[in-house]
Amino acid sequence: MGETITNIRDLRERAERRVPRAFFDYDDRGSYDEITLRDNVQALEAIRLRQRVMIDVDRRSLATSIVGEAAALPLALAPTGLTGLTRGSGEILAARAAAAAGIPFCLSTMSICSIEQVRAAVPTPFWFQIYVMRDRGFTRSLIQRARDAQCSALMLTVDLQIQGQRHREIKNGMTVPPRLRLANLFDILGKPAWIWRVLTAPSRSFGNLDGRVAGADGLSTLAQWIANQFDPTLTWDDIGWIRELWPGKLILKGVLDADDARQAARAGVDAIVVSNHGGRQLDGAIASVTALPRIVDAVGDRLEVLFDGGILSGQSLLKALALGARAGLIGKAFLYGLGADGEAGVAQAIAIIRRELDVSLALTGRTDVRRVDRSILLHADGSPYVPASAPAPLANSDETSPRIAHG
């Protein structure tokens, strides 16, 4: 207590002290050797901002719209699993903080608090993230529940049909709901405030899967359930099926390739999220910010391009906007705030990014986040920023321009 919080990393340090190791690492770490996890942040840090002076920047605007919704700043809280075990009622607390800040919140299918529990506790509509499962009846029921809860957008995640291994989760022996074991006894018992909040929360297991996941009380069981239930046969044809069930805004999350972005545009989605799942899936995939300009150039005039991956400051958010993103999504940044101080911590994380974005916008000589472009970016040597060119197409056109499968 008493330390001054000035940035997201300060919130991370506080969260690390207050959240049991297994759940902090779940929020904080990535898959395999964590190459992509590190690259997400380092690639953003490698881009420099062009400082400008003697420009009137007295009146600035951070307001924008995201998939047709007014937003106080170009930011949304990304869907994150197990949020209610970072802090009891975590999804509700994060949704409230987002609503107060005037930005979207997206609830994960793998949340601890259910769609209905969050809707009952939050006055404004939120987005819902969904996976397509082998049990299409269950997928259909989740979409209907999102409609009943008046969710304002549906986000289909497409990069977790096969789960990448996250070594730290296995080593920590993480279970849902949490279990006391010799290995974690002192860690958990040393955090009585965390225990109390989890015990008094409306849910301690996967609220949206209640009654659907027999025996899903540990990470290995959950991983097996995902392997059995998340449908690896998902194709572009399924977008039409989902469109029949969902009349509202549809966002596709997990796009990292320009050809896939073109397919998404042809499929008629409203927005895509350029994302590598926070470095938690294909380790060795390129950083999200490396993919972003290629995708914007390919489809930015046909749908909204959102960005996810490595945003830990307002400066990094500004870089993503300058590369063509309509808005950025944060996962780790708001989870650090949640673990540190609950709803107030999430609000603080949003406020930190807001202040940093505002200051950085002004110091680059700009006054409106909707009108920033690549001219405010530089390479580390001070030369104008030119994104790495897209790789040359392969000789086989079927590989470079995949067709929507039929039959």
Side-chain angles (χ1 to χ4, degrees):
M1 296 296 292
E3 76 270 32
T4 301
I5 300 294
T6 62
N7 58 29
I8 298 298
R9 287 181 173 83
D10 288 343
L11 289 172
R12 180 187 180 278
E13 292 177 5
R14 181 179 287 183
E16 189 172 16
R17 295 194 301 270
R18 295 183 175 183
V19 179
R21 171 57 54 189
F23 299 107
F24 177 81
D25 282 352
Y26 178 83
D27 296 339
D28 188 56
R29 305 296 290 268
S31 64
Y32 300 103
D33 294 325
E34 301 184 337
I35 294 168
T36 301
L37 174 73
R38 294 190 296 272
D39 282 355
N40 272 346
V41 175
Q42 292 171 0
L44 276 165
E45 290 176 342
I47 302 171
R48 300 294 189 262
L49 293 168
R50 182 186 180 195
Q51 178 177 302
R52 301 299 304 278
V53 299
M54 302 299 288
I55 298 171
D56 183 354
V57 292
D58 183 50
R59 296 184 179 182
R60 299 179 299 281
S61 173
L62 303 184
T64 189
S65 65
I66 309 174
V67 290
E69 298 179 26
L73 70 159
L75 190 70
L77 301 193
T80 55
L82 279 66
T83 304
L85 293 179
T86 296
R87 192 178 180 102
S89 304
E91 292 87 3
I92 292 171
L93 302 177
R96 285 174 174 167
I103 64 173
F105 165 81
C106 188
L107 181 69
S108 170
T109 290
M110 308 306 288
S111 60
I112 300 301
C113 294
S114 68
I115 301 172
E116 294 79 12
Q117 288 168 337
V118 177
R119 186 66 186 95
V122 178
T124 55
F126 50 88
W127 299 351
F128 182 66
Q129 174 274 334
I130 195 165
Y131 299 104
V132 171
M133 302 180 187
R134 293 182 191 272
D135 182 351
R136 295 301 175 92
F138 182 35
T139 302
R140 185 188 299 270
S141 71
L142 282 172
I143 293 175
Q144 185 59 53
R145 288 167 64 186
R147 292 184 65 173
D148 292 343
Q150 299 178 314
C151 292
S152 56
L154 185 71
M155 182 179 290
L156 171 64
T157 296
V158 295
D159 61 354
L160 191 65
Q161 300 313 107
I162 301 293
Q163 187 177 30
Q165 180 168 298
R166 301 156 196 168
H167 300 329
R168 183 54 55 183
E169 295 171 16
I170 297 171
K171 291 179 179 179
N172 286 332
M174 189 178 71
T175 60
V176 180
R179 287 181 178 175
L180 280 178
R181 298 176 178 175
L182 184 60
N184 66 12
L185 179 66
F186 294 106
D187 178 33
I188 291 181
L189 292 181
K191 298 173 176 64
W194 178 89
I195 294 173
W196 172 252
R197 294 184 182 105
V198 168
L199 289 177
T200 56
S203 180
R204 287 172 293 283
S205 190
F206 297 102
N208 293 321
L209 309 183
D210 187 31
R212 297 276 183 168
V213 190
D217 56 357
L219 179 66
S220 61
T221 303
L222 178 62
Q224 292 168 3
W225 185 84
I226 287 174
N228 291 332
Q229 291 296 327
F230 282 29
D231 192 349
T233 70
L234 181 70
T235 71
W236 294 105
D237 274 345
D238 292 304
I239 299 297
W241 176 75
I242 291 169
R243 271 295 192 195
E244 291 177 0
L245 301 173
W246 180 262
K249 298 293 186 179
L250 180 61
I251 306 168
L252 207 66
K253 181 176 182 286
V255 177
L256 209 61
D257 185 272
D259 284 337
D260 289 338
R262 294 184 187 99
Q263 285 286 82
R266 287 194 288 269
V269 302
D270 298 289
I272 57 173
V273 183
V274 177
S275 172
N276 52 37
H277 216 94
R280 296 160 62 79
Q281 278 295 96
L282 176 61
D283 195 32
I286 60 174
S288 294
V289 76
T290 302
L292 177 62
R294 302 176 188 178
I295 290 174
V296 168
D297 289 345
V299 300
D301 59 341
R302 300 166 65 186
L303 45 69
E304 286 189 23
V305 178
L306 309 179
F307 174 80
D308 169 66
I311 295 176
L312 296 174
S313 68
Q315 293 92 325
S316 55
L317 175 56
L318 180 60
K319 294 170 185 177
L321 299 176
L323 289 172
R326 173 65 65 92
L329 278 65
I330 54 172
K332 288 178 172 60
F334 95 78
L335 290 171
Y336 296 149
L338 181 68
D341 286 304
E343 182 177 342
V346 178
Q348 189 169 23
I350 296 168
I352 287 170
I353 291 175
R354 184 200 307 271
R355 288 194 299 269
E356 293 172 342
L357 176 63
D358 184 48
V359 170
S360 301
L361 183 71
L363 294 180
T364 57
R366 301 302 179 95
T367 59
D368 192 328
V369 292
R370 297 168 297 181
R371 293 181 173 84
V372 296
D373 56 34
R374 297 177 195 180
S375 67
I376 71 168
L377 304 178
L378 299 170
H379 289 291
D381 63 2
S383 61
Y385 183 80
V386 179
S389 61
L394 300 175
N396 186 337
S397 62
D398 286 343
E399 293 182 81
T400 58
S401 300
R403 295 185 295 268
I404 296 178
H406 295 283

